[in-house]
Amino acid sequence: NKEDYQNKIFYYDDKIRELKYWEQRLSGELDNAINDNQLKVYLQEQCDGDGKVIGAEALIRWIHPTEGLMPPYRFIPMFEKNGLISKVDLFVWKEAAKLLKKWQNEGNDEYYISVNISPADFYFLDIYKELVRIVEKYEINPAKLKLEITETLIMKDVESRLMIVEKLRDFGFTVEMDDFGSGYSSLNMLKDISVDVLKLDMGFLYKTKDEEKSRKIIGMIVQLSKALDMPVICEGVETKSQFEFLKNIKCDYFQGYLFAKPVSIEDFENKNL
Ligand code: C2E
Ligand code: CA
Ligand code: CA
Ligand code: CA
């Protein structure tokens, strides 16, 4: 028994050491990965109630030489802790702007692109300055670059972050509150922060046996956002029945596997341009 216990301790020690090593390795590789085109922006369609594509969310993938295609959960949480996420996000914002410019030049200016802003970016970047610089460099309409922000209560400087969001909206960016209803991003935030769109994740609300109850909660959130004049986009829409329900309660926009999975830029263009 004692031996068992000791083995376990060694085992966990090893695991922690492995994890630390892995984190350091990936962090050290990031700059080179960006220069080496290992980071790829994928796009996932966002649709209106008729299923017509209106834009896309940019989601990062790392095509790692030895690990293969790495989804964000394998590196984003760690980069949010050590601040490297700001390099990833800057890269994604630029890629999105470049693409918008290219589409614009080709006469395809109907789509917008949504990009993610990590809470950590507010610490590690002058978000306003960077985004304005990007818009000016690529000569794009800021309204075409949607910014998905998530709230966390752990963050300090709530006031200054609210001001940054205000400035971004004044400049012409559309700001979306991502993952609304999950974690800290909740009702309480709405009284302090003004955003243009609420984004609701079906996943969180459907991870329960009581679907009826979830639907009531979703219904109330949509009503609330209507009362506050905010359109709602629902993500994680996987089934027709979810889509029908959401349309019935007047949800405005939709994103999810029912419409399309995140795909490479090339695949998105082939399908939608
Ligand atoms: P998110 O911003 O909430 O993005 C939506 C996630 O849900 C994406 O996962 C997407 O592939 C997935 N998804 C879309 N439709 C469905 C569906 O119908 N069913 C299910 N089960 N999932 C669906 P992904 O691409 O793995 O990204 C995960 C998270 O990683 C994102 O969640 C976001 O928080 C973060 N992330 C991804 N790219 C970036 C980025 O460039 N910057 C930052 N800061 N975070 C990113
Ligand atoms: Ca998002
Ligand atoms: Ca989300
Ligand atoms: Ca999420």
Side-chain angles (χ1 to χ4, degrees), residues 217-229 232 249:
I217 294 171
I218 295 170
M220 287 310 296
I221 296 177
V222 175
Q223 270 186 41
L224 171 79
S225 67
K226 297 280 142 171
L228 296 172
D229 278 329
V232 181
I249 62 167

Side-chain angles (χ1 to χ4, degrees), residues 75-268:
F75 55 95
I76 291 217
M78 152 181 122
F79 287 172
E80 283 189 320
K81 270 185 270 160
N82 64 20
L84 288 179
I85 187 67
S86 56
K87 287 193 182 181
V88 175
D89 283 346
L90 258 184
F91 168 79
V92 175
W93 304 343
K94 282 183 198 156
E95 289 293 300
K98 241 189 264 178
L99 197 56
L100 284 169
K101 176 71 180 171
K102 179 179 152 238
W103 290 350
Q104 200 177 294
N105 287 342
E106 295 169 354
N108 298 306
D109 58 357
E110 67 259 56
Y111 302 130
Y112 62 79
I113 298 179
S114 292
V115 295
N116 288 285
I117 296 189
S118 158
D121 292 332
F122 285 91
Y123 276 132
F124 293 98
L125 284 179
D126 186 338
I127 295 181
Y128 181 79
K129 201 180 79 193
E130 296 291 353
L131 283 168
V132 168
R133 187 151 57 195
I134 287 171
V135 161
E136 283 168 355
K137 174 164 181 205
Y138 294 98
E139 303 171 294
I140 56 162
N141 175 358
K144 292 281 176 194
L145 195 61
K146 285 207 192 181
L147 311 175
E148 300 196 359
I149 59 168
T150 48
E151 266 311 321
T152 81
L153 280 183
I154 308 158
M155 305 285 300
K156 295 190 202 105
D157 310 325
V158 179
E159 286 296 311
S160 74
R161 273 180 310 121
L162 295 185
M163 269 177 48
I164 295 169
V165 171
E166 271 313 299
K167 269 171 67 183
L168 288 167
R169 292 183 69 217
D170 285 345
F171 186 80
F173 290 103
T174 310
V175 178
E176 219 164 80
M177 174 86 85
D178 200 0
D179 295 341
F180 185 77
S182 83
Y184 300 103
S185 170
S186 58
L187 290 179
N188 196 30
M189 284 311 304
L190 285 185
K191 70 178 189 336
D192 298 320
I193 199 164
S194 300
V195 292
D196 302 287
V197 185
L198 269 197
K199 192 166 191 186
L200 204 64
D201 191 330
M202 296 287 285
F204 294 109
L205 294 157
Y206 265 88
K207 260 180 215 121
T208 160
K209 291 198 190 77
D210 197 344
E211 191 155 315
E212 202 41 48
K213 200 169 169 182
S214 296
R215 290 188 172 203
K216 281 181 187 155
I217 294 171
I218 295 170
M220 287 310 296
I221 296 177
V222 175
Q223 270 186 41
L224 171 79
S225 67
K226 297 280 142 171
L228 296 172
D229 278 329
M230 276 184 292
V232 181
I233 175 163
C234 217
E235 71 179 321
V237 182
E238 292 184 351
T239 66
K240 277 220 167 80
S241 119
Q242 289 174 347
F243 183 39
E244 288 310 319
F245 162 72
L246 291 167
K247 277 199 286 189
N248 262 325
I249 62 167
K250 303 274 187 290
C251 186
D252 305 277
Y253 307 110
F254 311 87
Q255 178 182 345
Y257 296 163
L258 176 65
F259 308 98
K261 293 204 161 167
V263 294
S264 68
I265 290 173
E266 195 190 3
D267 286 352
F268 181 89

